[in-house]
Amino acid sequence: MFRWAPYVFIRFTLFLCAGVLLYWWQPGRGVAAVSAVFGAATVAYIGLWQWTQRRKTGFRPQVWFGALAFLVTSSFGWLLTHSATGTNQATHLTQQPKVSFYTGKVVSEVQTRAKNHRFVLETERVSAEGRWRETTGRVLLYTSREAARPAYGDRLVVFGTPQPIKPPANPGEFDYRQYLSLQQIHFQQFVKPKRFVIYEHGTGNPVVAASLRVRAWADSVFRRRIRRPQEQAIVSGLVLGIRDGLDNELKNAYASAGAMHVLAVSGAHVIIVFQIIVLLLGRLKRLRHGHWLFAVSALAVLWFYAFVTGLSASVLRAVIMFSFVVVGEAARREGNLFNTLGLSAFLLLCYDPYLLQDVGFQLSYLAVAGIVYL
């Protein structure tokens, strides 16, 4: 008979996922009712716990504890998703009248393509109906290659009106609008060279900015050492996740072979790095306190790799997951690594509940869970 007792965070993660899914099924409705359920269930759980502690009979109503834990965690997941949905904010770009121009900060890496630069701008203020308004919301911007190239953390003034991203035109077509909405991006704009101005530099997160500079340096090393552009582009894509140099013909070749995912750094790359660490440093576990020595060494290498890859979301997610696994193993919790995985998934979903719809998030945890099981 399967026993749930050792897998506390597996249960909590499933309960949290139920609340997130419920919100997507009924978005934005009944905030007051769900808040009341969360508060009442929390009070009832605490009261039931105190009541059972005072009784000397050892009575433990496990079914009631489980039901109340479900209500608390699932309602918390619903409220968390509501809070993480940018369009629910009164200052969001979707709630503003027609915009003449706006200011914002570059919050993503600037990708250079054949004909344009592509990046995400977090809006800060808009000019609408003749006055400035504080605003939130993200815009996917495309600028000409001939224009000045912004960098992460730069602040811009952009002239024109961002356009809502269009839904798919054909039945069964990939829904690009939904894909971007999971990243809280609901608008896009193609900006001509003289229709935007960079007025401030270096206002982004200093750790992310340093990571992007290190990745650019590593890419320059590949460019110096590898002479042929196509091979250099492949190596940069495989190791660093930089796909700017990949032409459409090469991308189509990888896509046709079903191997497009290898050109984007992901959890698979972290697994490979971790296996190399195990092969090279696994003998440290035989020493006194060797498990913790191995854990510190493995965490240092994994986080350095995440730093070199520009703190890519997929790599960062996998590194966080493996960090929990490594620490759990060092604490001699090898028999309950599923619970450790559940804890990491729970914390990541608390940070961003929309990760639940991310295929990379799903596959990363399924892959690691399979490895742990085998």
Side-chain angles (χ1 to χ4, degrees):
M1 181 179 177
F2 180 78
R3 296 179 64 250
W4 274 106
Y7 305 101
V8 177
F9 276 100
I10 294 292
R11 297 201 302 274
F12 283 152
T13 301
L14 292 176
F15 294 165
L16 187 71
C17 291
V20 174
L21 293 173
L22 181 62
Y23 179 86
W24 290 337
W25 180 52
Q26 295 289 339
R29 300 178 184 177
V31 179
V34 177
S35 300
V37 170
F38 174 72
T42 302
V43 171
Y45 188 94
I46 295 173
L48 183 62
W49 175 262
Q50 292 179 344
W51 180 72
T52 56
Q53 294 300 307
R54 288 196 299 267
R55 291 179 62 90
K56 298 181 180 180
T57 60
F59 174 66
R60 292 290 185 272
Q62 300 298 338
V63 175
W64 288 103
F65 273 122
L68 290 173
F70 172 77
L71 289 176
V72 171
T73 313
S74 59
S75 58
F76 173 72
W78 194 99
L79 295 171
L80 194 68
T81 311
H82 181 272
S83 175
T85 305
T87 52
N88 291 329
Q89 301 178 19
T91 58
H92 195 267
L93 200 56
T94 54
Q95 312 295 332
Q96 304 298 332
K98 186 175 181 180
V99 175
S100 302
F101 54 95
Y102 55 96
T103 67
K105 181 167 64 175
V106 179
V107 293
S108 72
E109 181 187 10
V110 179
Q111 299 177 353
T112 300
R113 300 189 169 189
K115 297 182 179 179
N116 54 49
H117 302 301
R118 178 181 182 272
F119 55 93
V120 177
L121 193 78
E122 180 76 47
T123 59
E124 296 176 331
R125 293 192 303 166
V126 299
S127 176
E129 297 180 344
R131 66 187 184 90
W132 284 103
R133 304 167 184 260
E134 300 292 331
T135 188
T136 58
R138 294 184 170 187
V139 181
L140 181 61
L141 283 181
Y142 298 87
T143 62
S144 170
R145 286 285 295 268
E146 290 73 28
R149 185 181 188 275
Y152 169 79
D154 287 354
R155 279 195 164 94
L156 279 63
V157 177
V158 183
F159 298 90
T161 305
Q163 301 299 318
I165 298 170
K166 296 180 180 180
N170 301 309
E173 182 182 352
F174 175 69
D175 195 341
Y176 190 57
R177 180 177 66 173
Q178 183 185 25
Y179 169 74
L180 290 179
S181 69
L182 298 179
Q183 305 170 45
Q184 305 300 317
I185 302 173
H186 300 277
F187 295 88
Q188 65 180 354
Q189 186 177 352
F190 297 84
V191 186
K192 296 181 179 180
K194 295 184 179 180
R195 299 291 291 172
F196 76 95
V197 177
I198 302 173
Y199 71 92
E200 190 174 1
H201 297 283
T203 61
N205 186 299
V207 176
V208 177
S211 175
L212 293 175
R213 286 196 298 269
V214 170
R215 185 166 80 153
W217 168 82
D219 183 49
S220 68
V221 173
F222 288 146
R223 292 181 184 278
R224 289 197 306 269
R225 300 295 182 181
I226 303 173
R227 299 299 181 185
R228 299 180 62 179
Q230 192 173 57
E231 282 73 6
Q232 184 275 322
I234 292 174
V235 171
S236 292
L238 286 170
V239 180
L240 303 175
I242 298 176
R243 296 189 289 176
D244 293 348
L246 298 173
D247 54 35
N248 291 329
E249 182 180 357
L250 187 62
K251 290 180 181 179
N252 291 334
Y254 272 83
S256 300
M260 190 64 185
H261 59 281
V262 303
L263 294 178
V265 290
S266 61
H269 294 69
V270 177
I271 291 174
I272 294 171
V273 171
F274 182 72
Q275 290 300 326
I276 293 173
I277 296 170
V278 171
L279 288 174
L280 296 179
L281 303 177
R283 294 184 179 180
L284 291 175
K285 297 180 181 180
R286 301 176 184 177
L287 303 176
R288 186 181 181 184
H289 305 301
H291 280 78
W292 284 110
L293 185 59
F294 172 80
V296 172
S297 303
L299 290 177
V301 175
L302 288 174
W303 281 99
F304 176 75
Y305 179 68
F307 190 79
V308 171
T309 57
L311 296 176
S312 165
S314 56
V315 172
L316 200 59
R317 181 175 60 241
V319 168
I320 291 173
M321 178 173 57
F322 269 100
S323 297
F324 277 95
V325 172
V326 169
V327 173
E329 185 181 4
R332 302 302 176 91
R333 303 286 294 182
E334 297 95 331
N336 204 2
L337 284 179
F338 288 109
N339 202 39
T340 306
L341 286 175
L343 174 60
S344 67
F346 184 87
L347 294 178
L348 284 171
L349 289 174
C350 286
Y351 172 73
D352 183 7
Y354 279 90
L355 283 174
L356 188 59
Q357 282 199 35
D358 190 299
V359 177
F361 176 85
Q362 299 167 13
L363 292 179
S364 294
Y365 274 93
L366 286 174
V368 175
I371 292 171
V372 171
Y373 175 77
L374 293 175

